[in-house]
Amino acid sequence: MNSDIDSQLLIDQSGSSALAAKSLMPAIVGKDARRPPLKSSWEAFQYLMSLPKGTFRESDKITAAFLGTAVLLLASTVMAPPPYSGIIGLAGDMFFGLTIFSYIINRFGVVKLLHAREAVLIWDLMLGAFLLGIFVAVNFSLAMSYIRSSMSIGI
C-alpha cells in the first residue's frame, strides 16, 4: 500500500479496516449524526475527488482512458458528415458498450473484499445508477419525440 494511505488506515475494535479522511469526513456524534442527504452526498463526492489517484491499478487507468476515448468517439457522431454518421455512430456505440462493460467488470471484484453491509450498499448504488440511466434515457427519448412532433419537421 501507499504510505499516504497507510497513515490513514484505521482498524476498529471489531478488526475491520477503513480509510478515514480526517479533514473532509469529520466524526459527527449526537443529534447531528444524520446529515441531510444532499449535504452528505456532496461531502462524499468531495472526499472521493480528494483521494490520491496514483494508487490505482494499471488496468483501472487503462479502462478509464478507454472510457474517455469512447465518450469522445460517441460525441463525434454528432459532427460526422451524413454518409459516415451511421457507421461512426454504430462503432462508437459498440466501443462505448464494451468499454463500460470492461470498466465495471475490472472494478467489480473489489466487492469480495468488503463486509456484507458494505457490499450490499455498493450493489444498491450500482443498481440505482443503472436505474437512473434508464430514467434519463427514457425521458430524453420522450423529450426528443415531443420536440420533433411539435416542430413538425421530419428528422
Side-chain angles (χ1 to χ4, degrees):
M1 270 193 169
N2 189 344
S3 62
D4 293 341
I5 293 181
D6 287 340
S7 65
Q8 296 178 4
L9 188 64
L10 301 176
I11 299 181
D12 65 13
Q13 294 177 358
S14 67
S16 65
S17 61
L19 288 177
K22 297 169 187 145
S23 62
L24 291 175
M25 301 298 279
I28 298 175
V29 293
K31 67 176 184 153
D32 295 327
R34 187 96 174 143
R35 293 174 292 210
L38 286 176
K39 182 179 180 182
S40 178
S41 296
W42 177 250
E43 289 173 356
F45 178 75
Q46 288 178 319
Y47 166 69
L48 289 170
M49 293 298 109
S50 72
L51 292 175
K53 305 293 188 268
T55 59
F56 295 119
R57 299 174 301 174
E58 196 63 33
S59 64
D60 291 344
K61 292 177 187 176
I62 291 170
T63 55
F66 275 148
L67 191 60
T69 305
V71 168
L72 290 175
L73 183 62
L74 205 54
S76 70
T77 61
V78 176
M79 296 176 274
Y84 304 109
S85 61
I87 295 169
I88 293 174
L90 181 61
D93 189 51
M94 289 174 51
F95 186 65
F96 191 72
L98 290 172
T99 302
I100 288 175
F101 184 73
S102 69
Y103 185 85
I104 292 170
I105 293 298
N106 275 330
R107 286 159 175 80
F108 200 63
V110 74
V111 173
K112 295 185 303 183
L113 303 175
L114 302 174
H115 295 283
R117 184 175 178 184
E118 295 165 336
V120 168
L121 178 62
I122 295 296
W123 177 251
D124 287 346
L125 288 171
M126 289 178 63
L127 183 61
F130 176 72
L131 294 174
L132 178 65
I134 292 172
F135 173 78
V136 169
V138 167
N139 282 289
F140 181 75
S141 175
L142 290 173
M144 291 304 295
S145 66
Y146 175 76
I147 290 170
R148 284 184 189 151
S149 68
S150 67
M151 293 175 69
S152 298
I153 58 174
I155 298 177

